[in-house]
Amino acid sequence: MPTQQPPTYPAFVELATADPAVVGLVLKGSHAHDGMPTEHSDHDLYVVLADDTPTDLTRFAGHRTPELDLAIVPLAEFRTTGMPGFERYALARARVVLDRLDGGIAQILAAKARLEADEAFRDAAEWLDAYANSLYRSVKNDRDGHPLASRLDAADSIRFLLELLFALDRRPRPYNKYLEWELARYPLPGWDTGLLLDALNRISSTGDVDLQRRLFAKVEAVARHAGHDAVLDAWGEDLELMRPQQGFPGQ
């Protein structure tokens, strides 16, 4: 096997498995999501090394080809990767290829998939305020005759809304690519997945203000039930501009 460039994912897994310094192999990305890989999908692999243990595998650090993307990290670093950070969802849904820690690698991934209660509450409060801000700007701009600004603010609000909804369920938000995959397998409690995805699609593409308001009615009820009255009440009379005449359809 060439020393500088492992040609295939299976060949590298075989090489890494034979190295006693490797305590874990973790596959993330499309190949960790059933039904998602395409002919263009590479294999994103974390190679987890025992701390302070030398290995010749470090020569592959930073290796990236259309076939194989490697991240070679010591165990201590792997424990904290994505905690918090963009990588958290990728590892939350990653697949264990090798675990020499008697389930320890799997436990690390499970911890990344579940936000601590205090962390989730704090994050949800911040995302709720950000969502309300973008929603308010969108409906106000629509009222004041600024349709482009209204649509852009509506699109911005979707990001904050998704962060909020997943934080309320103590989960990291999936990347947009995996949103439908995630919700099909792990629905958000209390939400109809089809209705939610349709609302997100319509709001992000058209900025439909009436739909934004109906969706907010559902979000407000869920957020208040979760204990976030203070965040919402801080908006005072501005809440009336965000609220609809009737509830979110189908809920």
Side-chain angles (χ1 to χ4, degrees):
M1 180 176 183
T3 59
Q4 296 300 316
Q5 184 172 326
T8 66
Y9 167 73
F12 184 81
V13 167
E14 182 179 358
L15 178 68
T17 301
D19 190 326
V22 177
V23 297
L25 295 173
V26 174
L27 181 67
K28 65 168 187 169
S30 297
H31 284 282
H33 291 71
D34 293 337
M36 291 299 294
T38 71
E39 61 181 315
H40 306 292
S41 300
D42 64 357
H43 291 80
D44 293 292
L45 188 69
Y46 267 90
V47 183
V48 185
L49 305 176
D51 293 325
D52 302 317
T53 303
T55 172
D56 191 44
L57 290 180
T58 54
R59 71 188 188 275
F60 295 121
H63 172 85
R64 186 173 186 179
T65 69
E67 162 70 14
L68 184 62
D69 188 352
L70 296 176
I72 301 177
V73 298
L75 179 60
E77 179 179 336
F78 184 68
R79 291 183 187 278
T80 60
T81 300
M83 301 289 279
F86 183 73
E87 194 77 346
R88 187 163 188 172
Y89 175 77
L91 289 170
R93 292 293 179 226
R95 181 174 299 169
V96 176
V97 178
L98 175 68
D99 188 342
R100 285 201 172 106
L101 300 181
D102 296 324
I105 296 295
Q107 290 177 3
I108 292 171
L109 295 181
K112 296 179 190 297
R114 187 73 172 163
L115 278 63
E116 295 291 337
D118 289 347
E119 174 190 14
F121 188 86
R122 180 183 66 250
D123 288 354
E126 293 176 359
W127 294 122
L128 173 60
D129 194 52
Y131 165 61
N133 186 285
S134 286
L135 170 66
Y136 176 71
R137 290 176 182 276
S138 179
V139 296
K140 185 173 68 170
N141 279 323
D142 178 75
R143 179 199 64 189
D144 296 342
H146 305 295
L148 175 59
S150 177
R151 289 195 301 273
L152 291 174
D153 286 325
D156 285 345
S157 76
I158 297 301
R159 174 202 167 196
F160 304 129
L161 173 60
L162 287 172
E163 295 281 6
L164 165 63
L165 296 183
F166 280 95
L168 288 171
D169 198 34
R170 295 178 57 184
R171 292 154 60 182
R173 174 197 162 181
Y175 307 148
N176 293 332
K177 177 180 179 179
Y178 300 121
L179 177 62
E180 292 176 277
W181 185 98
E182 179 79 13
L183 292 179
R185 291 158 178 79
Y186 310 99
L188 290 165
W191 290 88
D192 181 296
T193 294
L195 288 174
L196 176 60
L197 289 174
D198 180 67
L200 298 180
N201 183 42
R202 289 168 57 191
I203 290 170
S204 61
S205 59
T206 70
D208 188 325
V209 169
D210 289 337
L211 181 56
Q212 287 191 73
R213 285 174 165 144
R214 296 198 301 273
L215 179 58
F216 178 72
K218 170 71 173 177
V219 174
E220 181 178 7
V222 169
R224 289 190 183 280
H225 181 74
H228 294 289
D229 299 82
V231 175
L232 290 162
D233 292 342
W235 282 87
E237 294 182 358
D238 289 336
L239 284 173
E240 296 306 318
L241 188 63
M242 307 181 209
R243 288 170 174 158
Q245 298 299 309
Q246 59 185 8
F248 186 48
Q251 300 293 335

